[in-house]
Amino acid sequence: MNFIASAGPGLLDRLAARRAAASFRPAGVSSRAADAASPAASTAGTRVTLDAATTDAAVYARPSAPGAGPRRVWAKAGDDGLSELMSRNSGKEAHTLSDRWRGLGGALLKQLADTGERYRQTLADVVPALPDAGATDPAASTPDAEGAGSADPAAAAAALQQQALSGVATNATTVSLKVQTRSGQTVELKIGVNSGESGGTRGLQVEVSSSGPLSGAERDALARLSDGLDRALEGLGDGVPTLDLSGLTGFDADGVLTGLDLRIDHPDASADRPGQLRSFSLQLGAEKKSLSLRSTSGEMALEVDAAATSRATTGAPASGRRWSAIDQLLQQVDAAAERSHADAAMTKSFKDAFRQLQAPPADPDETRRVDDTRRSDAGEGRGRPQDAASLLAVRHAANTGSSSGAGTAAKATTAAKGGAVDALDPSAMAPMSDGLRTQTQSLQSGLADFQASFSADSQRTSRIGSVQEAGHAEYRIGQTTGERPNAATGGRSITQTQTETLSASFQKSRTYTLDRAGGNYDATTVEDSNTVTTLIDTTRDSIARAMRKTDEQRRKTFTEVENHRAASHQEWPDQRSVMERLR
């Protein structure tokens, strides 16, 4: 049995204008304003019996006169704090996704944390207005064989109402959050936003639930995630997306949550708006952190070894080294972006993602200091290139295939018979002392192993908005670290390899506007690659040898194009190989 209540415009206007309370009120608790509604706003509704499969009570507000504008339809009575927030976020001033999302994610998490119960609500703004349940629609009434009308106007109105509510999910922009708890429960949160421009009904749809009962500690952890989720959505939905993930990356600070998965899909993204969000995903776990973002200009991806992030950043000195290493790598990204004229917004998003996913575990005050500039005070000695080169060649021959990728040691192997442990099994290595581990880490990059890339179109415009330059850049950088026993020294061989590639092309106008169609412009291409390999050999209690080899290749071309033909062409190739002995 579903109930359709009719209410005057006064209550609707008051609900739409009401601002969210400073402290969140759980759903199901009616506001004082709703309780004090005028008699005209609380007139008796029309009760309609629908199909038994329909379980939610649908509520809509009747306009005061025919054609009075859109009708706001609710899946159930909108008299709780979340419904009020949805109403506010669907007002006339809500233009961006940030406006429609504002505060909803955090409020849903707090709702579950406060009550432990599932919550669902749908709001649809229907244009043209639905017919009144008490009005007779001639088109909906069909005479039967005996000439009697067979249609029920109230039932027809209710059916249209349900159709409008169902249409909110059609081609909607969706936010989906899943949080895993250590006890094995899964918390799911969903937000759907429909602009009504790509089919379906303009409106909002929200839901939050848990697969089972949550402990007090788990509820507290969810409540602490609420502000971080709101900040993340605020940045991602505001025109060109920005990344503020600091409130999510520390999700497991208390050890009661084991995983977080946030996904956004925006089918309404317009190709006419460069940089607008198309999709986003963030996965955080004990072993891996990964992020991907697609916009109308390009895409980026990042994966970080989360286990290595925790192992390598114990204590303030290690944390300081990590921030210094992050700053140093971001300077590489800036240099590559400048050389390739890469899209500024995508470059910024890439740097923000790298900084936040590589950040060491720290207290909230320290994580906000991500913009501090720090310089490493670790010195690097130089040795004789000839001797270092010979030693590197020997070590590479001895360690072929030793790199594990993403810092994960090779798994133990056993003989087919007898179960004997392989002599080169990494798990058979003697534990490394804290002092020796600190020494070896000081010779490495200071970063957790990672793979990262971005690819994006770019444009540069004049003060009057004409396109003067357009291009495309692809950038990739990554690091892998591996360890294995060293039979010659009785210790270990550690190999760390960092690779970087850049491929870009851009065309620049020689006048006020880029003339690609006419084939008159200056064309530039960039092809760079860089590999840095660090090799460290240890004995049982000290470093025996350490070296670093850098191989770099750079190539830039410049072509003057006139009427689609090359009028002139220049190239600047560059190649260097450097060997450093560190110990």
Side-chain angles (χ1 to χ4, degrees):
M1 175 98 47
N2 279 21
F3 179 74
I4 303 175
S6 58
L11 176 59
L12 176 61
D13 293 339
R14 286 194 294 276
L15 287 176
R18 184 176 298 139
R19 299 302 181 192
S23 58
F24 179 73
R25 183 178 72 253
V29 179
S30 299
S31 66
R32 295 179 181 175
D35 292 338
S38 64
S42 58
T43 55
T46 302
R47 184 174 299 272
V48 180
T49 302
L50 301 178
D51 183 44
T54 305
T55 59
D56 289 337
V59 179
Y60 69 89
R62 188 199 312 269
S64 57
R71 177 169 297 167
R72 183 154 285 182
V73 181
W74 296 89
K76 61 181 181 180
D79 60 351
D80 57 72
L82 270 165
S83 295
E84 292 175 9
L85 185 57
M86 293 171 66
S87 180
R88 186 199 71 182
N89 289 5
S90 298
K92 294 180 179 180
E93 296 179 356
H95 303 294
T96 67
L97 283 174
S98 289
D99 297 333
R100 306 297 299 279
W101 287 335
R102 186 160 294 124
L104 270 180
L108 286 165
L109 287 179
K110 289 178 181 177
Q111 163 71 24
L112 186 62
D114 288 342
T115 68
E117 298 178 355
R118 179 185 186 185
Y119 179 88
R120 297 178 64 185
Q121 179 65 293
T122 303
L123 165 63
D125 289 325
V126 185
V127 180
L130 291 172
D132 292 343
T136 302
D137 182 359
S141 180
T142 304
D144 56 21
E146 299 179 359
S150 60
D152 183 345
L160 287 175
Q161 184 171 305
Q162 292 298 328
Q163 182 179 4
L165 291 169
S166 299
V168 174
T170 303
N171 295 328
T173 295
T174 57
V175 175
S176 172
L177 174 69
K178 290 185 179 180
V179 179
Q180 297 292 139
T181 73
R182 192 164 297 281
S183 66
Q185 305 300 339
T186 301
V187 172
E188 293 191 59
L189 178 152
K190 297 179 181 178
I191 302 174
V193 174
N194 199 322
S195 66
E197 298 176 358
S198 299
T201 310
R202 185 183 190 275
L204 268 173
Q205 192 170 58
V206 302
E207 179 178 357
V208 65
S209 63
S210 174
S211 60
L214 300 173
S215 68
E218 290 169 341
R219 291 190 185 187
D220 290 344
L222 289 177
R224 284 192 293 272
L225 279 179
S226 59
D227 289 340
L229 178 59
D230 283 339
R231 293 201 306 271
L233 294 180
E234 184 81 12
L236 289 166
D238 191 13
V240 176
T242 59
L243 300 180
D244 184 355
L245 310 175
S246 57
L248 298 179
T249 52
F251 75 100
D252 60 344
D254 295 329
V256 297
L257 305 179
T258 60
L260 182 150
D261 187 337
L262 173 65
R263 298 176 187 270
I264 299 173
D265 184 27
H266 182 27
D268 260 356
S270 172
D272 296 332
R273 299 179 61 184
Q276 188 178 25
L277 180 71
R278 287 189 186 275
S279 65
F280 173 82
S281 69
L282 173 69
Q283 288 82 45
L284 303 174
E287 297 298 322
K288 183 177 71 173
K289 302 177 183 179
S290 64
L291 178 151
S292 67
L293 182 150
R294 291 180 60 244
S295 74
T296 52
S297 297
E299 58 187 322
M300 56 168 283
L302 176 62
E303 183 175 308
V304 176
D305 182 354
T309 301
S310 299
R311 288 195 304 267
T313 52
T314 55
S319 178
R321 286 197 66 249
R322 171 59 58 84
W323 284 121
S324 179
I326 291 172
D327 289 340
Q328 184 176 352
L329 186 130
L330 294 184
Q331 290 175 20
Q332 289 181 238
V333 176
D334 283 334
E338 182 177 0
R339 182 171 166 82
S340 63
H341 292 204
D343 178 66
M346 182 63 73
T347 302
K348 182 181 184 301
S349 293
F350 182 83
K351 292 169 59 180
D352 289 344
F354 188 89
R355 180 186 292 112
Q356 295 176 63
L357 265 63
Q358 279 279 355
D363 57 65
D365 291 336
E366 185 172 351
T367 58
R368 293 189 183 96
R369 296 163 55 192
V370 295
D371 292 325
D372 290 350
T373 55
R374 302 174 180 173
R375 295 294 178 265
S376 174
D377 57 359
E380 295 184 353
R382 292 182 177 271
R384 293 175 296 170
Q386 184 67 33
D387 294 341
S390 301
L391 185 57
L392 183 65
V394 172
R395 295 281 77 81
H396 271 304
N399 289 278
T400 300
S402 64
S403 178
S404 63
T408 305
K411 293 182 179 180
T413 58
T414 57
K417 295 182 179 181
V421 177
D422 193 322
L424 295 181
D425 175 11
S427 65
M429 294 185 292
M432 187 180 291
S433 68
D434 291 343
L436 182 56
R437 175 65 69 184
T438 299
Q439 291 182 57
T440 60
Q441 287 178 352
S442 69
L443 299 175
Q444 299 175 55
S445 72
L447 298 169
D449 283 353
F450 68 95
Q451 297 296 327
S453 64
F454 74 79
S455 172
D457 297 329
S458 62
Q459 279 190 358
R460 298 189 179 188
T461 59
S462 67
R463 288 180 296 177
I464 62 174
S466 61
V467 177
Q468 292 187 310
E469 180 182 297
H472 181 82
E474 297 185 3
Y475 180 72
R476 183 177 297 274
I477 189 167
Q479 174 185 292
T480 58
T481 306
E483 291 187 19
R484 63 182 292 117
N486 187 322
T489 65
R492 310 175 183 222
S493 288
I494 302 171
T495 304
Q496 185 175 86
T497 303
Q498 191 176 102
T499 59
E500 180 183 24
T501 61
L502 172 66
S503 177
S505 63
F506 53 91
Q507 299 80 46
K508 188 174 182 179
S509 170
R510 291 194 291 268
T511 58
Y512 295 106
T513 304
L514 179 62
D515 183 17
R516 276 177 161 175
N520 296 286
Y521 50 82
D522 294 335
T524 301
T525 64
V526 175
E527 297 288 340
D528 295 347
S529 65
N530 186 40
T531 302
V532 178
T533 304
T534 302
L535 182 65
I536 304 169
D537 285 336
T538 72
T539 64
R540 291 185 178 275
D541 56 7
S542 64
I543 295 177
R545 290 172 292 265
M547 68 197 67
R548 179 174 296 127
K549 183 182 180 183
T550 301
D551 293 308
E552 183 179 68
Q553 292 182 330
R554 301 175 60 157
R555 181 172 176 268
K556 182 177 181 179
T557 68
F558 176 81
T559 305
E560 289 184 321
V561 179
E562 295 181 0
N563 297 322
H564 298 288
R565 301 181 64 180
S568 66
H569 181 77
Q570 293 176 281
E571 293 190 10
W572 295 272
D574 187 20
Q575 182 174 348
R576 73 185 185 100
S577 182
V578 178
M579 187 74 65
E580 301 174 77
R581 184 162 187 141
L582 308 178
R583 289 288 181 91

